[in-house]
């Protein structure tokens, strides 16, 4: 019925079979604009699927259902699902983290010039530039004053020495237009925040609070919003301790609720603990759904390419350039992407792949935020290939690379997946004459479309090797169903018809599993 006509070559480039007798070559059908069958593998409501494509929709149902079937394949009761939906909406209700309206901010950056606390691979002006970008990401917030203040011990209670703090307080008090201070440290304790606000006369915010607020503003799907709510809990507990310690006695720690035996402080702490438990349960339901969708994707054998990188490095722009997907909407903004979204595209060999757009990384990203979003980043661990996008026009590109690699290692990714990551140097149009120094790195400009063909070719080679696909030439009968089956289950590259024999030699890229099914369905 059919004959294997070429040697098996994992990941090899296409080679045409040269025949001595005449053959009629049939061109493969033109590529459709988007391989929707690939997106369908994610299921309805999944990231990038019909209801969540591009991150603009509500995303996966919070009850973990897909068409009325639970993650374990069992039918769920509609009433229970509605109750879970209402409960999760209640969990997402919270007070604002930052004041509403326009804010004129004084940016204070503690600079460690020596000792073990001195940051490596960076300079104070670059750290200040990133902090300024964080503030400008907030709606109607602006930096009206910037102060770089030396300190020897940034981990002390008030961060600065006594004399430095007094001088800084005098300067801030003299800035009548300032309505808030952004202290560029990862995290302040509740007592530090209280004392600095009392000294400076305005509200003081750290990186954790500002980044968390940006996350909350940009979260679109239920899962992302729940993860932000989980990350907020340490801040709420810190504020609760701060309120209890107020000297005016209004913290409520010494008052008891009649008949309960609990103080107001204990009740609040218990409610926060219950809220954390419910949020984690809701995220577990979503995780089970993601695992189910991952198994469906593996059965349909669509390769997945996770695109990772520092925030604002151009990940979404690159995905849009590779796929032409209008649902990918790049924004020149930090943390524009919080929801993992799927975008389908084609490799040069005519094989459909899914590109996963992921959350961007940041240096000194608070640990609570990384832990809360670990569920989302699990999608990276289940991908076949990782593409690490770097902004080589940024002065801190090496530090950004180190931050991303450190975060990826923290996800405990499989060694082969991390080692085979493809490094892409983006925005080379902003660096005239740029040539990558790292072996294997590819220089592109996603904005101008430079270097994309070379990137697609490299992606094709990595994907074929990572997924164990093979380039085979198979002889099939024209009157049988084999050719139609190959078009459905493999990536057909070339068809050469031999009319007098009533057969065709089909060159296709096929996985080991599909090849085994082919042999079983169509034995010799």
């Amino acid at each position: 019925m059919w004959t294997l006509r070429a040697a098996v070559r994992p990941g090899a480039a296409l080679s045409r079979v040269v025949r001595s007798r005449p053959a009629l070559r049939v061109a493969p059908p033109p590529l459709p604009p988007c391989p929707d069958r690939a997106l369908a593998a994610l299921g309805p409501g999944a990231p990038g699927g019909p209801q969540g494509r591009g991150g603009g929709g509500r995303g996966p149902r919070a009850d973990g259902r897909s068409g009325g079937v639970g993650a374990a394949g069992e039918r769920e009761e509609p009433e229970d699902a509605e109750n879970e939906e209402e409960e999760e909406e209640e969990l997402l209700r919270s007070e604002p983290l930052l004041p509403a309206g326009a804010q004129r901010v004084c940016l204070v950056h503690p600079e460690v010039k020596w000792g073990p606390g001195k940051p490596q691979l960076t300079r104070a002006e670059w750290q200040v530039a990133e902090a300024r970008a964080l503030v400008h990401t907030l709606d109607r917030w602006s930096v009206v004053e910037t102060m770089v203040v030396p300190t020897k011990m940034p981990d002390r209670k008030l961060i600065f020495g006594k004399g430095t703090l007094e001088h800084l307080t005098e300067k801030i008090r003299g800035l009548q237009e300032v309505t808030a201070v952004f202290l560029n440290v990862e995290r302040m304790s509740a007592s530090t925040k209280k004392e600095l606000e009392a000294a400076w006369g305005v509200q003081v915010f750290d990186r954790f609070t500002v980044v968390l607020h940006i996350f909350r503003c940009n979260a679109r799907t239920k899962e992302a919003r729940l993860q932000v709510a989980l990350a907020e809990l340490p801040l709420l507990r810190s504020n609760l301790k701060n309120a209890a310690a107020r000297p005016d006695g209004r913290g409520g720690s010494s008052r008891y609720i009649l008949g309960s035996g609990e103080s107001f402080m204990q009740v609040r702490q218990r409610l926060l603990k219950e809220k954390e438990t419910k949020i984690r349960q809701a995220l577990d339901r979503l995780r089970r759904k993601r695992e189910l969708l991952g198994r469906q994707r593996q059965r349909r054998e669509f390769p997945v390419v996770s695109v990772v990188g520092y925030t604002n490095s151009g990940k979404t722009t690159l995905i849009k350039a590779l796929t032409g997907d209008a649902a990918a909407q790049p924004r020149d903004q930090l943390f524009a992407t919080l929801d993992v979204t799927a975008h389908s595209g084609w490799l040069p060999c005519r094989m459909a792949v899914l590109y996963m757009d992921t959350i961007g990384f940041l240096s000194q990203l608070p640990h609570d935020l990384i832990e809360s979003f670990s569920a989302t980043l699990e999608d990276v661990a289940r991908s076949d290939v990782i593409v690490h996008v770097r902004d080589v026009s940024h002065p801190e590109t090496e530090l950004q690379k180190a931050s991303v690699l450190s975060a990826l290692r923290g996800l405990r990714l499989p060694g082969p997946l991390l080692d085979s990551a493809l490094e892409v140097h983006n925005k080379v149009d902003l660096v005239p004459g740029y040539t990558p120094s790292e072996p294997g790195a590819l220089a592109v400009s996603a904005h101008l479309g430079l270097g994309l063909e070379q990137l697609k070719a490299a992606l094709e080679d990595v994907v074929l090797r990572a997924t164990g696909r093979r380039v085979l030439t198979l002889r099939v009968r024209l009157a049988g169903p084999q050719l139609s089956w190959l078009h459905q289950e493999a990536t057909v590259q070339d068809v050469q018809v031999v009319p007098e024999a009533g057969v065709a030699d089909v060159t296709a890229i096929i996985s080991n599993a599909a090849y085994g099914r082919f042999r079983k369905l169509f034995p010799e």
Side-chain angles (χ1 to χ4, degrees), residues 261-382:
E262 290 181 299
S263 68
F264 283 106
M265 168 66 73
Q266 290 170 331
V267 170
R268 291 170 183 155
Q269 289 174 336
R270 176 171 54 80
L271 292 176
L272 284 177
K273 182 65 177 176
E274 291 175 355
K275 182 176 182 179
E276 179 180 1
T277 300
K278 291 177 180 178
I279 291 175
R280 292 190 183 277
Q281 289 173 346
L283 288 172
D284 283 340
R285 287 193 291 271
L286 291 172
R287 181 181 289 107
R288 289 195 296 270
K289 178 181 180 180
R290 186 189 295 108
E291 290 173 352
L292 172 64
L293 295 175
R295 290 194 294 270
Q296 292 174 348
R297 190 270 303 170
Q298 289 174 351
R299 285 198 297 269
R300 302 189 188 197
E301 299 176 349
F302 291 109
V304 173
V305 178
S306 288
V307 182
V308 304
Y310 205 80
T311 182
N312 210 27
S313 61
K315 300 183 297 298
T316 304
T317 303
L318 180 62
I319 289 175
K320 186 170 186 178
L322 290 172
T323 65
D325 189 352
Q329 294 296 328
R331 286 182 287 164
D332 187 13
Q333 178 180 321
L334 300 183
F335 301 115
T337 300
L338 282 188
D339 305 291
V340 174
T341 57
H343 307 268
S344 55
W346 298 98
L347 295 177
C349 64
R350 305 177 61 83
M351 182 167 59
V353 295
L354 290 175
Y355 293 96
M356 306 299 287
D357 195 1
T358 62
I359 180 176
F361 296 98
L362 184 74
S363 64
Q364 300 178 3
L365 192 64
H367 176 74
D368 293 315
L369 285 175
I370 298 175
E371 183 179 1
S372 298
F373 278 80
S374 61
T376 295
L377 294 172
E378 285 176 3
D379 287 312
V380 178
R382 284 190 288 269

Side-chain angles (χ1 to χ4, degrees), residues 87-110:
E87 181 182 271
E88 287 159 9
E89 286 294 339
E90 181 65 29
L91 292 173
L92 294 172
R93 296 190 182 101
S94 56
E95 296 297 322
L97 293 172
L98 298 177
Q103 296 293 325
R104 297 178 299 278
V105 178
C106 175
L107 171 58
V108 177
H109 174 73

Side-chain angles (χ1 to χ4, degrees), residues 36-99:
D36 290 329
R37 191 165 63 95
L39 284 177
L42 294 174
Q51 298 175 10
R53 185 173 174 185
R58 295 285 294 175
R61 287 181 61 94
D63 54 16
R65 295 189 301 151
S66 176
V69 179
E74 300 177 354
R75 182 73 58 176
E76 294 187 0
E77 294 296 331
E79 185 176 348
D80 293 342
E82 291 177 4
N83 291 338
E84 289 176 356
E85 188 86 14
E86 292 175 1
E87 181 182 271
E88 287 159 9
E89 286 294 339
E90 181 65 29
L91 292 173
L92 294 172
R93 296 190 182 101
S94 56
E95 296 297 322
L97 293 172
L98 298 177

